[in-house]
Every structure is written in structure tokens, then in C-alpha cells.
Amino acid sequence: GENVEQHPSTLSVQEGDSAVIKCTYSDSASNYFPWYKQELGKGPQLIIDIRSNVGEKKDQRIAVTLNKTAKHFSLHITETQPEDSAVYFCAALNKGQTGANNLFFGTGTRLTVIP
Amino acid sequence: KAGVTQTPRYLIKTRGQQVTLSCSPISGHRSVSWYQQTPGQGLQFLFEYFSETQRNKGNFPGRFSGRQFSNSRSEMNVSTLELGDSALYLCASSLAGAQFFGPGTRLTVL
């Protein structure tokens, strides 16, 4: 099955700086890569996703890049704010012909933005 | 649109008991997936239902089961609870690939 590795496990940045979280995946058939933000006491919130036919996607201060050859993808947050502090998870999925929806998650990155 | 709702939010059970958790997906979403989240194992896929049929299943014992109703609402059941079943159980609904999670049910097994 798919194996997703995520680094770093913890990340502290000064407010206004950028944060980068990296993930690698093992199954070359994976074709959908979402990122989730989870705050304390809440469920994961989808913040951005990318499909394998796209190399980069941006949404305001958040961007995701995908390198299919190297099988890795990254989350970039610019101009970080204290409210960006949370645990971030990457995930991978092979939709395939069955339309299956079982996401394989990384182990999470605890991001702390220091005011 | 209302988001994914899960009930109850918190549950305390003892070993050997069984439990049923409920999930109401976003209106119009027909796929419901269940995940278990623990500090040690992270987020792990349990199973997925689509149009009342189990479409996919993760690597969990048969004590974990689920079902989906004609209105897309889903329930999952865990029988003969073990201490290790203590976790946050998350439900996610999906329409076109993107999965949206509910707040989860925190299950504690004593």
C-alpha cells in the first residue's frame, strides 16, 4: 500500500516568515494530494489540494508543489500569522477506476508561529 | 451548506462494550469515509461507503463495521471494545474527490 512520510514533525517560525512542509509518497499511481490543517479539538480542515496533472497550485498565502518524478510534494505558507499555528497533515490518494476514497496520511507537522 | 456533523462528540465506554457512532455528510455528498486518529498510529482509514455499499476497507479487525443509509448518513459500530480502541473517530464526506471532515467523536475506553 501507499506510504506517506512527512517532515519536519515540528516547525517554529517567526510571524511574517515562510514555512515549508515536505512529504514523500511511495505509490507512483497516487494522483491526488490534499493538505489538511487540524486545530485543537477540531477535525482536519482541507486547505489546499493538487492533482497529479498539475505541478503547482496557489491560494493566497498557501501554495503546494508536486514533483511526480521524485514522488514528493510540499506545502508553502508565506507571511505566516499566529492563527496559522496548528498541526498540518499531507495525504495521498489513488482514485483509480473504483473511485476509492481512502486517504493515506503523513504523520503531521506541528507548526508554531511566534508573534 | 452545513458541514459534516458527528454524534456524539464524546463517549466513555468500558472494555467489552459496543458503541455506535453517527455521521451526517454534507448535503448532496454520497461518499462517507471513516478514519481513526490516535497519537501513536496517526490517521488511519477504516472504510468508505458510497450509495449504501462499502466501497473500500482498511486494515482493521472485523469488530469495526459500518453502514450507510439511503439519505447518505452513516454509522460505524465497534463491538467488544478494547483499551486500544480509544481514539478520535473522524468521518469525512466527499463529492468529487475532496474530502471534508467532521469534528470527530472522542471515544475513551476504560
Side-chain angles (χ1 to χ4, degrees), chain A residues 36-95:
Chain A
Y36 288 88
K37 173 185 181 183
Q38 188 173 25
E39 296 173 293
L40 201 60
K42 297 184 178 181
Q45 174 195 359
L46 178 67
I47 56 172
I48 196 166
D49 57 10
I50 191 168
R51 298 184 188 274
S52 59
N53 59 348
V54 175
E56 184 174 357
K57 184 176 178 181
K58 192 172 180 180
D59 182 5
Q60 297 183 0
R61 297 186 297 110
I62 294 173
V64 58
T65 58
L66 170 65
N67 183 326
K68 282 192 299 182
T69 304
K71 287 189 279 188
H72 68 68
F73 56 114
S74 301
L75 177 71
H76 304 252
I77 305 174
T78 59
E79 300 171 21
T80 53
Q81 301 167 2
E83 50 266 38
D84 293 331
S85 296
V87 180
Y88 291 81
F89 292 95
C90 63
L93 169 65
N94 174 11
K95 286 291 286 181

Side-chain angles (χ1 to χ4, degrees), chain A residues 32 36 38 99-103, chain B residues 31 35 37 48 55-56 99:
Chain A
Y32 174 67
Y36 288 88
Q38 188 173 25
N101 272 328
N102 49 319
L103 287 168
Chain B
S31 166
Y35 294 83
Q37 185 175 27
E48 182 209 1
R55 183 158 70 173
N56 219 340
Q99 292 188 41

Side-chain angles (χ1 to χ4, degrees), chain B residues 18-91:
Chain B
Q18 75 162 15
V19 67
T20 299
L21 312 181
S22 181
C23 171
S24 292
I26 294 170
S27 178
H29 288 197
R30 294 166 62 191
S31 166
V32 174
S33 299
W34 289 89
Y35 294 83
Q36 181 196 65
Q37 185 175 27
T38 59
Q41 299 299 316
L43 278 151
Q44 292 186 290
F45 172 77
L46 280 156
F47 30 66
E48 182 209 1
Y49 286 87
F50 181 83
S51 293
E52 302 178 63
T53 302
Q54 187 179 88
R55 183 158 70 173
N56 219 340
K57 190 177 192 306
N59 218 16
F60 279 81
R63 299 186 297 107
F64 292 81
S65 63
R67 60 177 175 168
Q68 187 179 33
F69 302 95
S70 58
N71 61 358
S72 294
R73 189 177 71 84
S74 177
E75 289 181 347
M76 69 162 280
N77 184 77
V78 188
S79 62
T80 321
L81 284 166
E82 300 177 0
L83 295 178
D85 296 334
S86 294
L88 181 67
Y89 289 90
L90 292 157
C91 160

